[in-house]
Amino acid sequence: MSIVLVGGHDRMHSEYTEICSKRGHRVKVYTQMPTRFEKVIGKPDGIVLFTSTVSHQMIHTAVKEAKRKKIPVFRCHTSSGASLEGLLRELEAKTS
């Protein structure tokens, strides 16, 4: 399953990647807004938003693309590894 993770802390990038890899998911992590963000999102199976550590513009762009491409969005206020694991379980249950 492919996932786009939006937000979080720069220092946690490798931990987010490791958590997703252990559960068998491919992940793209965006802690900062890249140029043409709407184009780099692609067509993942789900988008995870860490709302406390991301700009409103990034959230707006990600949600807009998710609606347009019918991608499920999972939001969490905290950006910890445990939060990510919980969201991944929720995503797996919803897509199975």
Side-chain angles (χ1 to χ4, degrees):
M1 184 179 312
S2 62
I3 297 166
V4 171
L5 192 148
V6 180
H9 298 285
D10 290 331
R11 67 179 183 272
M12 296 279 288
H13 187 281
S14 60
E15 187 174 336
Y16 297 145
T17 305
E18 184 180 325
I19 289 168
C20 291
S21 295
K22 281 183 182 177
R23 297 185 70 89
H25 304 298
R26 293 181 318 276
V27 65
K28 291 186 208 175
V29 179
Y30 297 103
T31 56
Q32 305 292 322
M33 185 148 176
T35 306
R36 300 187 41 88
F37 181 50
E38 66 278 355
K39 300 293 182 191
V40 299
I41 290 175
K43 183 84 169 85
D45 297 313
I47 295 176
V48 173
L49 295 175
F50 287 145
T51 58
S52 68
T53 55
V54 68
S55 70
H56 292 297
Q57 183 62 41
M58 267 183 96
I59 290 174
H60 176 67
T61 302
V63 169
K64 182 174 148 189
E65 283 299 301
K67 284 181 183 177
R68 192 170 73 79
K69 297 176 181 176
K70 296 178 176 54
I71 302 167
V73 176
F74 298 87
R75 298 172 189 243
C76 185
H77 186 67
T78 60
S79 55
S80 66
S83 297
L84 177 58
E85 288 184 27
L87 287 172
L88 290 176
R89 281 193 293 277
E90 188 179 330
L91 177 69
E92 290 162 358
K94 200 165 217 174
T95 58
S96 295

XYZ file of all heavy atoms in Angstrom:
754
model
N 0.841 -1.164 0.000
C 0.000 0.000 0.000
C 0.895 1.239 0.000
O 1.913 1.281 0.671
C -0.873 -0.032 1.261
C -1.865 1.076 1.351
S -2.924 1.045 2.813
C -3.497 -0.620 2.877
N 0.514 2.245 -0.760
C 1.301 3.473 -0.806
C 0.599 4.570 -0.001
O -0.621 4.692 -0.028
C 1.498 3.925 -2.247
O 0.260 4.212 -2.841
N 1.399 5.332 0.706
C 0.890 6.360 1.615
C 1.694 7.634 1.415
O 2.910 7.596 1.227
C 1.023 5.895 3.080
C 0.178 4.658 3.319
C 0.655 6.996 4.054
C 0.475 3.949 4.591
N 0.999 8.766 1.484
C 1.658 10.071 1.521
C 1.437 10.626 2.920
O 0.298 10.730 3.380
C 1.091 11.032 0.454
C 1.629 12.432 0.663
C 1.432 10.540 -0.936
N 2.517 10.928 3.607
C 2.449 11.479 4.954
C 2.770 12.968 4.869
O 3.822 13.339 4.358
C 3.447 10.754 5.858
C 3.294 11.011 7.348
C 3.701 9.775 8.116
C 4.092 12.186 7.801
N 1.850 13.798 5.329
C 1.997 15.251 5.241
C 2.107 15.809 6.646
O 1.220 15.607 7.474
C 0.792 15.887 4.502
C 0.951 17.386 4.427
C 0.642 15.289 3.116
N 3.212 16.519 6.907
C 3.428 17.112 8.223
C 4.430 16.303 9.021
O 5.176 15.499 8.495
N 4.442 16.546 10.305
C 5.392 15.867 11.172
C 6.658 16.681 11.345
O 6.774 17.808 10.868
N 7.603 16.089 12.032
C 8.870 16.762 12.332
C 9.960 16.260 11.392
O 10.022 15.074 11.090
C 9.291 16.490 13.775
C 8.308 17.008 14.788
N 8.194 18.345 15.089
C 7.388 16.371 15.537
C 7.245 18.511 15.988
N 6.733 17.320 16.280
N 10.833 17.160 10.976
C 11.935 16.785 10.089
C 12.799 15.682 10.700
O 13.203 14.750 10.011
C 12.822 17.998 9.787
C 12.133 19.022 8.910
O 11.271 18.624 8.104
O 12.460 20.216 9.038
N 13.041 15.772 11.982
C 13.916 14.798 12.644
C 13.290 13.401 12.741
O 13.980 12.427 13.009
C 14.303 15.300 14.029
C 13.140 15.366 14.997
C 13.590 15.848 16.383
N 12.492 15.847 17.313
C 11.646 16.848 17.506
N 11.784 17.955 16.807
N 10.668 16.754 18.385
N 11.972 13.307 12.524
C 11.273 12.019 12.606
C 11.111 11.349 11.239
O 10.542 10.271 11.143
C 9.883 12.230 13.227
C 9.881 12.712 14.645
S 10.145 11.379 15.802
C 8.588 10.529 15.681
N 11.624 11.973 10.193
C 11.443 11.474 8.827
C 11.826 10.002 8.700
O 11.056 9.199 8.177
C 12.262 12.337 7.862
C 12.029 12.045 6.420
N 12.593 10.972 5.783
C 11.272 12.681 5.501
C 12.206 10.956 4.531
N 11.403 11.994 4.332
N 12.997 9.638 9.176
C 13.448 8.249 9.043
C 12.606 7.302 9.903
O 12.355 6.160 9.506
C 14.929 8.116 9.401
O 15.154 8.529 10.729
N 12.133 7.762 11.056
C 11.283 6.927 11.900
C 9.931 6.663 11.232
O 9.425 5.551 11.260
C 11.075 7.562 13.270
C 10.333 6.644 14.227
C 10.254 7.198 15.642
O 11.104 8.012 16.019
O 9.320 6.794 16.347
N 9.360 7.692 10.614
C 8.092 7.515 9.892
C 8.264 6.494 8.774
O 7.435 5.601 8.594
C 7.613 8.836 9.286
C 7.292 9.941 10.262
C 7.550 11.264 9.931
C 6.719 9.683 11.499
C 7.246 12.302 10.798
C 6.416 10.723 12.375
C 6.689 12.023 12.021
O 6.383 13.044 12.883
N 9.355 6.614 8.029
C 9.632 5.694 6.932
C 9.799 4.267 7.449
O 9.267 3.318 6.866
C 10.900 6.137 6.175
O 10.729 7.494 5.756
C 11.155 5.271 4.966
N 10.519 4.117 8.545
C 10.753 2.790 9.128
C 9.456 2.153 9.610
O 9.212 0.963 9.375
C 11.750 2.922 10.288
C 12.131 1.595 10.908
C 13.113 1.781 12.054
O 13.964 2.685 11.974
O 13.001 1.014 13.025
N 8.603 2.905 10.269
C 7.327 2.390 10.771
C 6.472 1.889 9.611
O 5.896 0.795 9.674
C 6.578 3.466 11.589
C 7.289 3.713 12.914
C 5.123 3.056 11.828
C 6.815 4.945 13.667
N 6.401 2.668 8.561
C 5.601 2.262 7.394
C 6.198 1.040 6.704
O 5.469 0.134 6.294
C 5.480 3.417 6.412
S 4.461 4.773 7.038
N 7.519 0.999 6.580
C 8.181 -0.132 5.932
C 7.964 -1.430 6.701
O 7.745 -2.486 6.098
C 9.680 0.134 5.801
O 9.893 1.209 4.932
N 8.009 -1.364 8.029
C 7.791 -2.556 8.850
C 6.396 -3.137 8.637
O 6.198 -4.336 8.745
C 7.972 -2.239 10.334
C 9.407 -2.161 10.761
C 9.496 -1.914 12.257
C 10.939 -1.792 12.689
N 11.054 -1.484 14.123
N 5.434 -2.283 8.340
C 4.062 -2.730 8.108
C 3.806 -3.038 6.635
O 2.688 -3.347 6.245
C 3.073 -1.696 8.623
C 3.187 -1.495 10.140
C 2.134 -0.580 10.660
N 0.814 -1.173 10.608
C 0.261 -1.904 11.584
N 0.951 -2.130 12.694
N -0.952 -2.390 11.463
N 4.854 -2.929 5.799
C 4.742 -3.297 4.393
C 4.178 -2.213 3.490
O 3.602 -2.513 2.449
N 4.347 -0.945 3.866
C 3.822 0.160 3.072
C 4.956 0.975 2.460
O 6.023 1.110 3.054
C 2.975 1.104 3.936
C 1.853 0.432 4.645
N 0.826 -0.194 3.991
C 1.602 0.261 5.967
C -0.020 -0.698 4.872
N 0.439 -0.439 6.082
N 4.698 1.514 1.272
C 5.608 2.501 0.674
C 5.111 3.866 1.126
O 3.904 4.102 1.157
C 5.568 2.400 -0.849
C 6.130 1.099 -1.387
C 6.105 1.041 -2.907
N 4.882 1.560 -3.525
C 3.764 0.857 -3.698
N 3.688 -0.391 -3.285
N 2.706 1.405 -4.291
N 6.025 4.753 1.448
C 5.608 6.053 1.985
C 6.445 7.179 1.388
O 7.638 7.006 1.130
C 5.689 6.074 3.535
C 7.112 5.937 4.019
C 5.048 7.316 4.106
N 5.786 8.298 1.143
C 6.458 9.555 0.811
C 6.155 10.489 1.970
O 4.992 10.660 2.338
C 5.887 10.181 -0.459
C 6.165 9.453 -1.732
C 5.643 10.334 -2.878
C 5.229 9.546 -4.068
N 4.615 10.384 -5.103
N 7.189 11.071 2.551
C 7.017 11.960 3.699
C 7.331 13.392 3.267
O 8.402 13.661 2.723
C 7.947 11.543 4.870
C 7.775 12.481 6.044
C 7.676 10.105 5.280
N 6.380 14.293 3.525
C 6.559 15.708 3.215
C 6.348 16.513 4.491
O 5.220 16.719 4.922
C 5.570 16.167 2.140
C 5.771 15.475 0.823
C 4.925 14.457 0.413
C 6.838 15.824 0.001
C 5.124 13.805 -0.786
C 7.047 15.178 -1.199
C 6.184 14.166 -1.589
O 6.396 13.519 -2.783
N 7.456 16.951 5.098
C 7.360 17.782 6.294
C 7.364 19.264 5.930
O 6.944 20.096 6.721
C 8.508 17.489 7.277
O 9.750 17.671 6.609
C 8.402 16.069 7.814
N 7.854 19.588 4.749
C 7.860 20.955 4.221
C 7.154 20.935 2.866
O 7.172 19.925 2.172
C 9.294 21.460 4.024
C 10.156 21.385 5.264
C 9.708 22.345 6.335
O 9.296 23.457 6.044
N 9.793 21.930 7.581
N 6.575 22.049 2.489
C 5.837 22.091 1.225
C 6.789 22.223 0.041
O 7.487 23.215 -0.098
C 4.856 23.264 1.214
C 3.982 23.281 -0.002
S 2.406 23.952 0.425
C 1.602 23.989 -1.143
N 6.820 21.183 -0.821
C 7.671 21.263 -2.010
C 6.989 22.079 -3.114
O 5.789 22.356 -3.051
C 7.809 19.799 -2.438
C 6.554 19.159 -1.965
C 6.176 19.887 -0.700
N 7.748 22.427 -4.117
C 7.195 23.113 -5.273
C 6.222 22.187 -5.985
O 6.483 20.997 -6.130
C 8.332 23.504 -6.240
O 9.301 24.248 -5.515
C 7.815 24.314 -7.410
N 5.084 22.733 -6.404
C 4.046 21.981 -7.105
C 3.630 20.733 -6.321
O 3.601 19.618 -6.836
C 4.492 21.643 -8.526
C 4.790 22.921 -9.317
C 5.076 22.776 -10.778
N 4.276 21.856 -11.531
C 3.107 22.152 -12.125
N 2.618 23.356 -12.023
N 2.460 21.250 -12.816
N 3.314 20.938 -5.063
C 2.952 19.859 -4.136
C 1.814 18.997 -4.676
O 1.824 17.783 -4.534
C 2.586 20.458 -2.774
C 2.227 19.459 -1.727
C 3.045 18.368 -1.467
C 1.073 19.591 -0.980
C 2.727 17.443 -0.493
C 0.737 18.679 -0.009
C 1.564 17.601 0.241
N 0.843 19.627 -5.321
C -0.300 18.861 -5.837
C 0.127 17.822 -6.875
O -0.517 16.788 -7.019
C -1.375 19.793 -6.406
C -0.980 20.578 -7.632
C -0.170 21.839 -7.357
O 0.037 22.200 -6.187
O 0.266 22.462 -8.339
N 1.220 18.068 -7.567
C 1.702 17.123 -8.585
C 2.504 15.975 -7.976
O 2.481 14.869 -8.506
C 2.569 17.843 -9.622
C 1.856 18.931 -10.369
C 0.778 18.377 -11.265
C 0.114 19.505 -12.026
N -1.094 19.071 -12.697
N 3.225 16.216 -6.884
C 4.070 15.172 -6.308
C 3.293 14.208 -5.409
O 3.806 13.151 -5.053
C 5.283 15.746 -5.527
C 6.168 16.548 -6.442
C 4.847 16.561 -4.338
N 2.049 14.561 -5.079
C 1.238 13.658 -4.249
C 0.994 12.343 -4.971
O 1.089 11.273 -4.391
C -0.092 14.328 -3.841
C 0.178 15.439 -2.837
C -1.061 13.303 -3.248
C -1.046 16.256 -2.456
N 0.687 12.411 -6.249
C 0.438 11.199 -7.018
C -0.924 10.597 -6.708
O -1.884 11.320 -6.424
N -1.018 9.267 -6.732
C -2.279 8.559 -6.464
C -2.034 7.473 -5.413
O -2.047 6.279 -5.711
C -2.806 7.948 -7.773
C -4.124 7.248 -7.670
C -5.281 8.204 -7.784
C -6.600 7.469 -7.959
N -7.210 7.050 -6.740
N -1.789 7.876 -4.161
C -1.545 6.877 -3.113
C -2.849 6.216 -2.663
O -3.940 6.653 -3.021
C -0.945 7.710 -1.982
C -1.604 9.043 -2.144
C -1.739 9.231 -3.638
N -2.729 5.180 -1.845
C -3.901 4.509 -1.275
C -4.495 5.313 -0.124
O -5.645 5.111 0.239
C -3.523 3.104 -0.791
C -3.073 2.221 -1.944
O -3.769 2.213 -2.982
O -2.029 1.565 -1.818
N -3.699 6.191 0.483
C -4.183 7.022 1.586
C -3.235 8.171 1.867
O -2.052 8.105 1.546
N -3.796 9.223 2.456
C -2.998 10.375 2.867
C -3.152 10.538 4.370
O -4.262 10.531 4.894
C -3.465 11.664 2.159
C -3.228 11.552 0.653
C -2.743 12.884 2.722
C -3.736 12.737 -0.151
N -2.024 10.642 5.063
C -2.011 10.856 6.510
C -1.590 12.304 6.752
O -0.550 12.743 6.262
C -1.030 9.882 7.204
C -0.896 10.213 8.671
C -1.480 8.439 7.019
N -2.408 13.042 7.514
C -2.108 14.437 7.845
C -1.828 14.576 9.332
O -2.660 14.196 10.155
C -3.301 15.335 7.500
C -3.704 15.481 6.052
C -4.979 16.300 5.950
C -2.601 16.134 5.256
N -0.663 15.095 9.675
C -0.355 15.465 11.052
C -0.656 16.955 11.164
O 0.159 17.796 10.787
C 1.100 15.171 11.393
C 1.406 13.706 11.564
C 2.631 13.191 11.169
C 0.488 12.842 12.129
C 2.939 11.855 11.348
C 0.774 11.502 12.305
C 2.002 11.006 11.911
N -1.824 17.295 11.656
C -2.341 18.661 11.561
C -1.635 19.687 12.444
O -1.689 20.871 12.147
C -3.847 18.687 11.855
O -4.081 18.146 13.151
C -4.618 17.898 10.812
N -0.978 19.268 13.509
C -0.361 20.254 14.403
C 0.967 20.786 13.875
O 1.431 21.831 14.320
C -0.159 19.661 15.795
O 0.813 18.644 15.751
N 1.577 20.073 12.941
C 2.918 20.458 12.499
C 2.983 20.722 11.001
O 3.998 20.464 10.372
C 3.928 19.351 12.851
O 3.453 18.127 12.289
C 4.103 19.215 14.335
N 1.886 21.233 10.448
C 1.863 21.460 9.006
C 1.128 22.777 8.722
O 0.254 23.179 9.491
C 1.190 20.262 8.285
C -0.282 20.173 8.608
C 1.395 20.311 6.801
N 1.500 23.414 7.632
C 0.866 24.689 7.285
C -0.551 24.461 6.760
O -0.879 23.394 6.237
C 1.687 25.418 6.224
O 1.598 24.751 4.981
N -1.360 25.483 6.904
C -2.734 25.412 6.396
C -2.734 25.200 4.886
O -3.588 24.489 4.357
C -3.503 26.686 6.741
C -3.767 26.844 8.191
N -4.543 25.965 8.909
C -3.369 27.771 9.076
C -4.599 26.352 10.169
N -3.888 27.446 10.303
N -1.792 25.805 4.208
C -1.723 25.670 2.746
C -1.436 24.228 2.342
O -2.027 23.723 1.382
C -0.643 26.606 2.181
C -0.548 26.574 0.669
C -1.817 27.033 -0.012
O -2.448 27.990 0.420
N -2.214 26.361 -1.072
N -0.552 23.538 3.060
C -0.266 22.135 2.745
C -1.495 21.268 2.977
O -1.802 20.383 2.178
C 0.895 21.604 3.600
C 2.222 21.725 2.933
S 3.539 21.023 3.933
C 3.664 19.397 3.232
N -2.201 21.497 4.082
C -3.418 20.736 4.371
C -4.450 20.983 3.277
O -5.043 20.040 2.742
C -3.995 21.099 5.747
C -3.097 20.574 6.851
C -5.408 20.544 5.911
C -3.507 21.000 8.244
N -4.650 22.244 2.932
C -5.631 22.602 1.920
C -5.314 21.907 0.581
O -6.199 21.328 -0.054
C -5.678 24.114 1.743
C -6.591 24.577 0.665
N -7.964 24.428 0.738
C -6.343 25.152 -0.533
C -8.505 24.897 -0.367
N -7.537 25.347 -1.147
N -4.055 21.945 0.168
C -3.647 21.331 -1.091
C -3.832 19.819 -1.052
O -4.358 19.224 -1.999
C -2.174 21.669 -1.397
O -2.031 23.093 -1.438
C -1.734 21.078 -2.719
N -3.419 19.182 0.040
C -3.537 17.724 0.158
C -5.001 17.276 0.156
O -5.366 16.310 -0.526
C -2.837 17.233 1.427
N -5.851 17.974 0.897
C -7.266 17.610 0.971
C -7.951 17.837 -0.375
O -8.765 17.019 -0.814
C -7.968 18.384 2.106
C -9.471 18.224 2.038
C -7.443 17.921 3.458
N -7.596 18.918 -1.042
C -8.172 19.212 -2.354
C -7.822 18.104 -3.359
O -8.693 17.620 -4.094
C -7.653 20.560 -2.845
C -8.210 21.018 -4.164
C -7.718 22.429 -4.453
C -7.546 22.641 -5.930
N -6.885 23.896 -6.235
N -6.561 17.687 -3.377
C -6.139 16.607 -4.275
C -6.795 15.278 -3.895
O -7.168 14.496 -4.752
C -4.619 16.459 -4.267
C -3.906 17.498 -5.076
C -4.281 17.478 -6.552
O -4.085 16.439 -7.212
O -4.786 18.501 -7.032
N -6.931 15.035 -2.597
C -7.561 13.799 -2.135
C -9.015 13.733 -2.588
O -9.488 12.676 -3.036
C -7.467 13.694 -0.618
N -9.735 14.835 -2.485
C -11.128 14.860 -2.941
C -11.217 14.652 -4.444
O -12.056 13.904 -4.928
C -11.790 16.190 -2.572
C -12.161 16.294 -1.122
C -12.833 17.620 -0.827
C -13.141 17.734 0.658
N -13.730 19.038 0.994
N -10.318 15.300 -5.151
C -10.331 15.213 -6.608
C -10.041 13.789 -7.087
O -10.639 13.308 -8.043
C -9.301 16.185 -7.191
C -9.413 16.405 -8.679
C -8.524 17.563 -9.133
N -7.114 17.254 -9.128
C -6.492 16.555 -10.089
N -7.161 16.086 -11.097
N -5.197 16.340 -10.008
N -9.127 13.101 -6.384
C -8.714 11.750 -6.792
C -9.368 10.646 -5.970
O -9.007 9.488 -6.101
C -7.190 11.641 -6.685
C -6.459 12.582 -7.613
C -4.968 12.506 -7.409
C -4.230 13.469 -8.322
N -2.783 13.474 -8.057
N -10.297 11.028 -5.063
C -11.006 10.068 -4.205
C -10.041 9.199 -3.382
O -10.129 7.987 -3.343
C -11.941 9.196 -5.029
C -13.056 10.004 -5.678
C -13.945 9.130 -6.525
C -15.107 9.864 -7.115
N -14.869 11.042 -7.865
N -9.131 9.878 -2.690
C -8.149 9.227 -1.822
C -8.588 9.446 -0.382
O -8.890 10.577 -0.001
C -6.737 9.841 -2.027
C -6.294 9.704 -3.479
C -5.725 9.191 -1.093
C -5.073 10.543 -3.821
N -8.630 8.385 0.442
C -9.004 8.592 1.847
C -7.941 9.401 2.599
O -6.742 9.229 2.375
C -9.123 7.183 2.415
C -8.405 6.300 1.469
C -8.390 6.976 0.134
N -8.405 10.285 3.485
C -7.520 11.138 4.281
C -7.698 10.782 5.750
O -8.817 10.664 6.243
C -7.852 12.632 4.066
C -7.002 13.508 4.970
C -7.657 13.016 2.617
N -6.590 10.600 6.454
C -6.595 10.292 7.877
C -5.846 11.399 8.592
O -4.710 11.694 8.261
C -5.937 8.932 8.129
C -6.669 7.817 7.455
C -6.388 7.473 6.144
C -7.670 7.141 8.122
C -7.088 6.471 5.508
C -8.380 6.127 7.492
C -8.093 5.798 6.185
N -6.513 12.021 9.567
C -5.936 13.162 10.275
C -5.616 12.787 11.720
O -6.344 12.028 12.341
C -6.913 14.334 10.284
C -7.265 14.852 8.931
C -8.371 15.880 9.046
N -8.881 16.236 7.754
C -8.799 17.464 7.240
N -8.256 18.430 7.929
N -9.280 17.708 6.051
N -4.540 13.398 12.209
C -4.167 13.227 13.607
C -3.505 14.518 14.060
O -2.729 15.123 13.318
C -3.202 12.055 13.751
S -2.794 11.694 15.463
N -3.816 14.932 15.272
C -3.255 16.186 15.774
C -1.793 16.013 16.197
O -0.977 16.903 16.000
C -4.094 16.711 16.935
C -3.667 18.065 17.398
N -3.809 19.196 16.613
C -3.081 18.471 18.541
C -3.322 20.240 17.268
N -2.887 19.825 18.435
N -1.460 14.863 16.748
C -0.076 14.636 17.182
C 0.717 13.959 16.080
O 0.160 13.299 15.215
C -0.027 13.767 18.451
O -0.633 12.507 18.158
C -0.753 14.422 19.600
N 2.026 14.123 16.120
C 2.869 13.578 15.054
C 3.900 12.586 15.590
O 5.040 12.565 15.157
C 3.559 14.720 14.309
O 4.275 15.525 15.210
N 3.464 11.738 16.507
C 4.375 10.754 17.088
C 4.356 9.459 16.283
O 3.466 9.224 15.460
C 3.962 10.456 18.533
O 2.703 9.803 18.552
N 5.320 8.601 16.559
C 5.368 7.299 15.916
C 4.172 6.442 16.281
O 3.620 5.732 15.433
N 3.744 6.508 17.538
C 2.580 5.734 17.986
C 1.308 6.195 17.276
O 0.454 5.375 16.910
C 2.417 5.861 19.498
N 1.183 7.484 17.053
C 0.032 8.021 16.320
C 0.019 7.497 14.897
O -1.033 7.129 14.369
C 0.070 9.540 16.289
O -0.020 10.071 17.572
N 1.192 7.461 14.274
C 1.292 6.957 12.910
C 0.891 5.486 12.850
O 0.156 5.081 11.954
C 2.709 7.154 12.364
C 2.971 6.603 10.965
C 2.014 7.220 9.946
C 4.416 6.835 10.565
N 1.347 4.696 13.805
C 0.975 3.276 13.825
C -0.529 3.100 13.953
O -1.135 2.260 13.287
C 1.711 2.546 14.945
C 3.182 2.364 14.645
C 3.904 1.546 15.701
O 3.262 0.709 16.358
O 5.111 1.747 15.851
N -1.164 3.902 14.817
C -2.614 3.840 14.968
C -3.338 4.214 13.683
O -4.315 3.561 13.296
N -2.862 5.243 13.013
C -3.466 5.658 11.754
C -3.275 4.598 10.671
O -4.168 4.375 9.850
C -2.885 6.990 11.289
C -3.339 8.210 12.069
C -2.544 9.434 11.647
C -4.807 8.459 11.884
N -2.124 3.936 10.658
C -1.887 2.872 9.681
C -2.839 1.698 9.907
O -3.367 1.133 8.944
C -0.433 2.398 9.736
C 0.605 3.385 9.214
C 2.004 2.829 9.422
C 0.362 3.729 7.756
N -3.078 1.357 11.170
C -4.045 0.286 11.467
C -5.434 0.677 10.958
O -6.148 -0.138 10.372
C -4.086 -0.012 12.964
C -2.930 -0.865 13.451
C -3.171 -1.392 14.859
N -3.181 -0.335 15.858
C -2.096 0.190 16.422
N -0.911 -0.270 16.097
N -2.198 1.148 17.321
N -5.815 1.929 11.182
C -7.113 2.430 10.721
C -7.193 2.385 9.189
O -8.206 1.961 8.623
C -7.292 3.863 11.225
C -8.657 4.442 10.976
C -8.777 5.863 11.517
O -8.105 6.210 12.506
O -9.550 6.622 10.917
N -6.124 2.811 8.530
C -6.070 2.796 7.073
C -6.169 1.370 6.530
O -6.908 1.106 5.589
C -4.775 3.456 6.587
C -4.495 3.472 5.099
C -5.484 4.396 4.398
C -3.078 3.920 4.823
N -5.443 0.448 7.149
C -5.464 -0.950 6.716
C -6.867 -1.544 6.877
O -7.335 -2.282 6.025
C -4.446 -1.766 7.512
C -3.009 -1.420 7.168
C -2.015 -1.885 8.211
O -2.419 -2.461 9.245
O -0.809 -1.654 8.006
N -7.528 -1.228 7.986
C -8.872 -1.749 8.226
C -9.870 -1.182 7.219
O -10.773 -1.890 6.758
C -9.329 -1.405 9.647
N -9.708 0.067 6.866
C -10.651 0.721 5.943
C -10.478 0.235 4.503
O -11.449 0.158 3.768
C -10.459 2.227 6.004
C -11.643 2.995 5.504
C -11.570 4.431 5.921
C -12.977 4.876 6.238
N -13.062 6.182 6.784
N -9.260 -0.073 4.117
C -9.002 -0.478 2.730
C -9.096 -1.989 2.534
O -9.068 -2.449 1.406
C -7.631 0.015 2.244
O -6.612 -0.488 3.106
C -7.587 1.536 2.198
N -9.192 -2.747 3.596
C -9.262 -4.213 3.459
C -10.677 -4.683 3.198
O -11.648 -4.124 3.466
C -8.770 -4.893 4.730
O -7.417 -4.609 4.902
